[in-house]
Amino acid sequence: MAPEFLTAAWGFAALLLLIALRCPIALAMLVVGAAGYVHILDHWALLNYLKQSPWHLFANYTLSVIPLFILMGALAERGGLARDLFTAAQVLVGRRPGGMPMGVIAASAAFGAVCGSSVATTATFARAALPELLRTGTAPGFATATIAAGGTLGILIPPSVILVVYAISTEQNIAKLFMAAAIPGLIATVFYLIAVWLTARLRPELSPPAPALSPTERSAALRAVLPVLGIALLVVGGIYGGVFTPTESAAVGCVLVLALGLARRTLPWPEIRAALLATAETTAMIFAILLGAEVFNAFLALSQAPDLLAVWVTEQNFPPYGVMVALLVTYLILGAVMDELAMILLTLPVFFPVITALDFGLPTEELAIWFGMLVLVVVGVGLTAPPIGLNVFVVSAIARQVPISATYRGVLPFLAMDLLRLALVLAFPSLSLILVRWLT
Amino acid sequence: QEQVTLRLHHFLPAVSNVHRHFLQPWAQKVAADSQNRLRVQIFPAMQLGGAPPQLYDQARDGVVDIVWTLPGYTPGRFPRLEAFELPFIGHPRAAVNVQAVQKFSEAAAAEELRETHVIAAWGHDAGVIHTKREVKRMEDLQGLRLRFPTRQAGEALRALGAAPVGMPVPQVPEALAQGVIDGAVVPWEVVPSIRLHEAVRFHTEINHNPTFYIATMLLVMNRAKYAGLPADLRAILDANSGMVAARMAAPAWDVEGPKVEETARRRGNTIFELPAEESARWAQATQPVHQAWIGAMRERNIDGGALVEQAKALIAEFSR
Amino acid sequence: MQALARWLAILGGVVLIAASVLTVVSGLSRWWTSQPVRGDVELVSVAAGIAVMAAMPWGTARGSHIMVDSFTGWLPASVTGFIDRFWRFIWIQAFALLAWRMALGAQEAIRNGEQTMGLLGVPYGYAVAFGAFCFGLSALLSFKDSQ
Ligand code: NA
Ligand code: NA
């Protein structure tokens, strides 16, 4: 085995060990990356490398879309926009068995069309909808699982932070990736609705129908949701239509959500302050991981192992679909035990060149888009799959009275639907590509 | 006998023309001249981490041994070299610019390059305006968001009515895809490595002397690493430095550039050559950029006027 | 110290809102006058950098850095508590190292007059110094937590 592979393998082993030993992921990547950097070069190189690297990483126009979308989601949540969506959903579907959880899925999908983060979407509905679900009689584990699964729509439906990171690490077009994700995102929503419907059908005691609203309440709820839908349409349509850059659309979204909240007096200063603090918390978490990944990736590049691995895999003459399935299974396993953002940041430099070197009968750009959609599906699975499902953790952090094992049991029907969707997206690349082909 | 491997770091992918047609041949020549005792290992695409603006410091601080970078990525840091980057100073051919800038770096600009050992300094050929909308006259630039390579080219574009945005070359494809910019101003040579000819359909060339703009470039080495080389290897490196290395750089633009232009033409892109009268109009309109720069240099106790005259004289000397 | 971290996080959020407003104004200005706000892209980049730096101490104070506890769930709380204090101790070193190196980086950036690549040429040395301060504060907060 080449010494490069050995160095990188030790690095990965150390990383996984540290993560298993409760080391925060950002710290683990930073420490292992730094140690590897020093091992290959020397400590002066590392010390000098650190002088301005965090600044140039953080002060980046493209990445600025991440804190902006998080801020927009936090403001929307604090300003009651998420609740508006939920109430509207209650009006439309609340009277049927499973209607309320289905309403949460629909509202998560609508919110996902504005917000690019699954953590933000999950947190939003855990705060806004969970009390309503429990109040109207939905079983606790089913309610938390619905919110955790619905939260993945935050990234499955564009805009999506994961797709932004995918586009940046693979030098793909963000707008086209967002466009491509529309149909798989819609399928995800429909499948989750089916999962809820089936569960409610088989075990009606889990989700009795919600109390009826008066006609006045109904029309008020439907009126209240219009501005939110308008903002969603403007932000997403602006990106699709090429009127805004993603950063601009996030900025427009922030300003409009803030303005709407101020106009309706639902965003007094304490609420804004809470939104800003929530934004800071999520932003710090994500960028600490990005910083750790930057150092770890520099170490991997220095070891030259990723290039060699990519060359090695392409020389094995596996059939293309064999390689693809192997990579996706790897992702499902990695996604179950680690953070998804870190997972794709770590593995894309290795896997992406491997995939683009294979022949699936698609032009390189379409192949990259299709692979991005597949990565998005497995990332979504990893967000709710035990043992490490970030969305489940987020719900649990807010719904402390519901045991985490109950939530994990509740997500199983949703995971089954995810695997079905993965098979569909894999078998029919055109599901991911047809919109891009039409619209460009 | 002692063997030395030097790490060379730069920002373009390995398929780029400068990587293939200058850095690799140069590294091979150094290796051959030293019977493989002095090897240069090239790390493209910022693989060793950091952002392009950090490259110069990476060489200065010994994070890597050698970097290829553009002074334009660290504005304000190399004020004297900017004399070549002012509008309508440079020559449309790299063969001329490489020698003029190299000679300038040995004398007039030596002071600001003290922190590293300079292997070569050079300038590229005529920069081209690549846009989604055709640019045939000054008025067509009105409001166009164009990526600029150096601050002086940016000021020149602004003087012509465009809305310029500064960023390193590797960010251009994404910025174009997201609609952050409507086009980019770069020489032909770099176009394929960022797939620019696929993202835009119009190209405006300014092939007169002086041309609209050129950017200067540096190949610099960590000082301590240079001083620590065995004497015979240092002599081999020296023999492949300065004017020798600068002249080796020129074909990456003068030979490869026209090939790229042909590729764009075959794709069906529109290539427009700016007529002499229009070019003269642009030169007239960008004159205030010279005045502003000379004024800014005066504040730093640098005689900008004299530097401009020197730059012009060097271009004239080598274009004969 | 916690209060300072909270104050910085709010400041960072306000900077983000300001960047959003600037982006919207610049877009409108480009619509009407064909000229955006001069240097809007570099200002938004710098604002994002400041906001991220400002968020670090608060994220650290809230202990929000993601970690995985599924493999150590069977251990008694006293043991996992000890492990967590150990990692906080390592965070101190990491943050302190980053703060120290960025302080040097800031010093050099200010001395060299380094600026952003745009037309405005924002001298970013002071923002790097702010980043060093934020990492330093994060180190202190981790230290307080590990007690
Ligand atoms: Na979304
Ligand atoms: Na996971």
Side-chain angles (χ1 to χ4, degrees):
Chain A
M1 194 189 278
E4 291 86 356
F5 278 132
L6 215 56
T7 314
W10 275 111
F12 263 114
L15 182 68
L16 291 179
L17 180 70
L18 258 58
I19 288 175
L21 290 174
R22 302 173 70 89
C23 181
I25 285 154
L27 184 63
M29 286 195 287
L30 192 66
V31 167
V32 176
Y37 206 98
V38 171
H39 173 73
I40 297 176
L41 298 175
D42 56 56
H43 69 282
W44 280 115
L46 175 77
L47 289 178
N48 288 322
Y49 167 61
L50 291 180
K51 275 196 286 198
Q52 285 194 14
S53 291
W55 171 252
H56 286 286
L57 177 68
F58 297 164
N60 178 315
Y61 186 74
T62 325
L63 289 186
S64 67
V65 68
I66 295 178
L68 286 175
F69 269 129
I70 293 172
L71 174 62
M72 176 176 163
L75 287 171
E77 183 212 338
R78 286 287 158 176
L81 270 65
R83 201 182 170 128
D84 290 343
L85 280 170
F86 182 79
T87 315
Q90 185 181 350
V91 170
L92 296 173
V93 293
R95 293 296 301 154
R96 294 183 190 85
M100 290 304 285
M102 283 168 90
V104 171
I105 296 290
S108 297
F111 191 69
V114 190
C115 173
S117 147
S118 63
V119 174
T121 308
T122 310
T124 299
F125 286 94
R127 289 204 185 100
L130 191 63
E132 311 278 325
L133 278 182
L134 296 178
R135 188 173 54 77
T136 52
T138 308
F142 186 37
T144 48
T146 303
I147 287 168
T152 62
L153 295 172
I155 56 158
L156 297 181
I157 292 179
S160 165
V161 170
I162 292 289
L163 281 185
V164 171
V165 173
Y166 179 85
I168 291 166
S169 13
T170 61
E171 298 172 339
Q172 294 304 309
N173 184 323
I174 291 181
K176 284 186 185 169
L177 282 166
F178 281 7
M179 227 184 268
I183 290 180
L186 204 64
I187 295 177
T189 312
V190 172
F191 277 21
Y192 284 169
L193 289 173
I194 294 174
V196 173
W197 182 77
L198 277 178
T199 311
R201 221 41 200 308
L202 296 173
R203 300 185 58 191
E205 77 279 8
L206 288 184
S207 178
L213 294 174
S214 72
T216 358
E217 284 173 318
R218 292 168 65 98
S219 58
L222 291 179
R223 262 202 316 278
V225 83
L226 287 179
V228 191
L229 289 181
I231 293 176
L233 218 64
L234 189 68
V235 168
V236 181
I239 303 183
Y240 295 159
V243 182
F244 303 138
T245 68
T247 303
E248 282 167 352
S249 73
V252 168
C254 279
V255 170
L256 288 180
V257 169
L258 186 62
L260 186 62
L262 291 176
R264 288 176 167 181
R265 298 175 193 281
T266 52
L267 268 180
W269 171 242
E271 293 295 329
I272 296 180
R273 213 182 71 130
L276 298 185
L277 288 176
T279 305
E281 210 174 316
T282 316
T283 303
M285 181 184 95
I286 291 180
F287 279 81
I289 289 178
L290 285 173
L291 177 61
E294 153 100 10
V295 177
F296 191 81
N297 282 340
F299 153 61
L300 275 187
L302 266 176
S303 79
Q304 298 198 293
D307 292 351
L308 294 174
L309 181 66
V311 170
W312 182 81
V313 173
T314 44
E315 280 170 355
Q316 296 311 300
N317 291 320
F318 285 138
Y321 270 90
V323 178
M324 179 65 96
V325 169
L327 294 191
L328 292 176
V329 169
T330 312
Y331 269 147
L332 286 175
I333 294 167
L334 284 175
V337 296
M338 72 186 292
D339 177 62
E340 283 64 36
L341 195 64
M343 174 179 90
I344 64 169
L345 279 170
L346 278 180
T347 54
L348 275 181
V350 187
F351 287 175
F352 187 71
V354 172
I355 285 296
T356 47
L358 296 174
D359 182 15
F360 290 91
L362 294 172
T364 310
E365 194 191 24
E366 293 196 343
L367 178 54
I369 291 173
W370 179 50
F371 185 56
M373 295 307 114
L374 290 166
V375 168
L376 195 59
V377 179
V378 289
V379 162
V381 173
L383 285 170
T384 48
I388 314 298
L390 188 56
N391 280 11
V392 173
F393 291 168
V394 171
V395 178
S396 301
I398 293 163
R400 294 203 186 270
Q401 73 277 22
V402 184
I404 208 163
S405 52
T407 309
Y408 274 133
R409 265 198 308 280
V411 296
L412 291 180
F414 296 100
L415 286 175
M417 284 306 191
D418 281 343
L419 294 180
L420 191 60
R421 180 163 46 96
L422 179 60
L424 269 183
V425 176
L426 183 64
F428 303 105
S430 55
L431 287 177
S432 314
L433 298 171
I434 198 157
L435 271 188
V436 181
R437 285 179 187 154
W438 272 356
L439 296 175
T440 50
Chain B
Q1 279 201 317
E2 200 182 338
Q3 285 207 357
V4 179
T5 300
L6 301 174
R7 287 190 177 82
L8 192 164
H9 199 199
H10 73 85
F11 56 94
L12 281 186
V15 293
S16 60
N17 280 312
V18 177
H19 182 97
R20 280 161 54 216
H21 297 287
F22 170 46
L23 297 176
Q24 271 185 341
W26 180 78
Q28 279 157 8
K29 182 156 185 297
V30 169
D33 289 358
S34 64
Q35 274 93 43
N36 263 332
R37 287 181 48 226
L38 185 58
R39 271 185 291 201
V40 181
Q41 190 181 7
I42 308 177
F43 291 86
M46 300 307 297
Q47 277 183 355
L48 301 184
Q54 292 172 266
L55 280 168
Y56 188 79
D57 284 344
Q58 289 186 343
R60 184 198 62 187
D61 297 338
V63 175
V64 298
D65 305 317
I66 302 176
V67 300
W68 165 45
T69 187
L70 273 76
Y73 287 177
T74 48
R77 192 115 175 239
F78 306 98
R80 294 171 185 82
L81 280 173
E82 279 184 348
F84 278 94
E85 298 179 335
L86 289 167
F88 295 99
I89 293 287
H91 192 275
R93 284 184 61 76
V96 173
N97 297 325
V98 294
Q99 303 184 73
V101 174
Q102 172 61 36
K103 197 160 175 193
F104 188 79
S105 77
E106 290 165 12
E111 151 103 16
E112 66 198 26
L113 294 165
R114 270 180 324 184
E115 290 182 319
T116 54
H117 170 74
V118 180
I119 294 175
W122 69 95
H124 63 60
D125 63 339
V128 179
I129 302 175
H130 312 265
T131 44
K132 293 181 179 172
R133 227 163 64 199
E134 187 159 31
V135 174
K136 298 174 96 163
R137 45 209 291 272
M138 200 196 293
E139 288 70 21
D140 297 333
L141 285 167
Q142 193 63 38
L144 271 193
R145 278 232 170 191
L146 294 177
R147 175 269 175 185
F148 65 81
T150 67
R151 175 151 321 145
Q152 296 313 317
E155 292 292 355
L157 286 168
R158 192 173 167 88
L160 294 171
V165 184
M167 67 184 75
V169 159
Q171 290 176 20
V172 167
E174 197 183 315
L176 264 174
Q178 294 190 16
V180 176
I181 50 177
D182 306 312
V185 181
V186 290
W188 279 116
E189 154 274 322
V190 79
V191 163
S193 54
I194 51 176
R195 308 215 313 265
L196 186 54
H197 56 306
E198 296 168 12
V200 305
R201 286 190 41 229
F202 300 99
H203 312 269
T204 304
E205 295 178 334
I206 304 98
N207 287 334
H208 314 284
N209 179 27
T211 185
F212 174 45
Y213 92 95
I214 63 164
T216 58
M217 300 184 174
L218 295 169
L219 191 65
V220 297
M221 183 171 175
N222 178 265
R223 285 199 79 96
K225 191 81 183 186
Y226 174 75
L229 286 178
D232 57 333
L233 293 185
R234 194 161 60 225
I236 288 167
L237 187 65
D238 286 344
N240 286 295
S241 297
M243 208 51 104
V244 177
R247 286 201 187 108
M248 278 183 80
W253 286 271
D254 287 344
V255 178
E256 301 307 317
K259 294 183 192 166
V260 178
E261 182 186 352
E262 192 45 42
T263 313
R265 203 186 300 277
R266 271 204 310 271
R267 254 191 121 254
N269 289 8
T270 307
I271 296 167
F272 179 75
E273 214 173 306
L274 203 69
E277 321 80 75
E278 185 63 16
S279 177
R281 244 182 105 214
W282 291 24
Q284 189 64 38
T286 53
Q287 202 53 43
V289 177
H290 285 228
Q291 311 313 327
W293 182 76
I294 291 171
M297 287 303 107
R298 196 173 301 123
E299 281 171 32
R300 298 178 70 162
N301 292 318
I302 297 172
D303 185 351
L307 291 174
V308 170
E309 289 315 312
Q310 272 190 58
K312 283 181 179 167
L314 284 166
I315 298 275
E317 178 189 338
F318 289 105
S319 55
R320 270 201 300 275
Chain C
M1 212 149 50
Q2 188 106 10
L4 180 58
R6 187 184 298 118
W7 188 83
L8 279 174
I10 293 171
L11 177 82
V14 170
V15 168
L16 275 183
I17 292 179
S20 306
V21 172
L22 171 77
T23 304
V24 172
V25 169
S26 182
L28 292 176
S29 148
R30 194 167 164 234
W31 197 282
W32 277 315
T33 68
S34 91
Q35 277 292 328
V37 173
R38 188 179 167 100
D40 55 350
V41 170
E42 52 193 311
L43 284 174
V44 170
S45 312
V46 169
I50 289 173
V52 172
M53 293 294 188
M56 267 322 150
W58 179 246
T60 304
R62 302 277 295 172
S64 64
H65 295 295
I66 304 174
M67 59 93 164
V68 166
D69 59 2
S70 4
F71 302 98
T72 45
W74 52 277
L75 289 168
S78 60
V79 178
T80 53
F82 174 80
I83 297 176
D84 291 346
R85 277 203 302 284
F86 174 76
W87 289 125
R88 250 170 257 137
F89 179 71
I90 302 295
W91 262 132
I92 304 172
Q93 333 276 312
F95 279 134
L97 179 75
L98 286 167
W100 168 45
R101 295 320 292 178
M102 279 186 75
L104 279 182
Q107 211 178 14
E108 284 175 4
I110 293 168
R111 198 184 53 218
N112 294 331
E114 288 172 38
Q115 302 167 355
T116 54
M117 251 196 87
L119 286 180
L120 276 187
V122 182
Y124 58 78
Y126 295 98
V128 179
F130 174 73
F133 172 77
C134 291
F135 276 132
L137 184 62
S138 303
L140 288 176
L141 285 161
S142 304
F143 178 72
K144 196 174 139 229
D145 265 11
S146 69
Q147 293 307 291

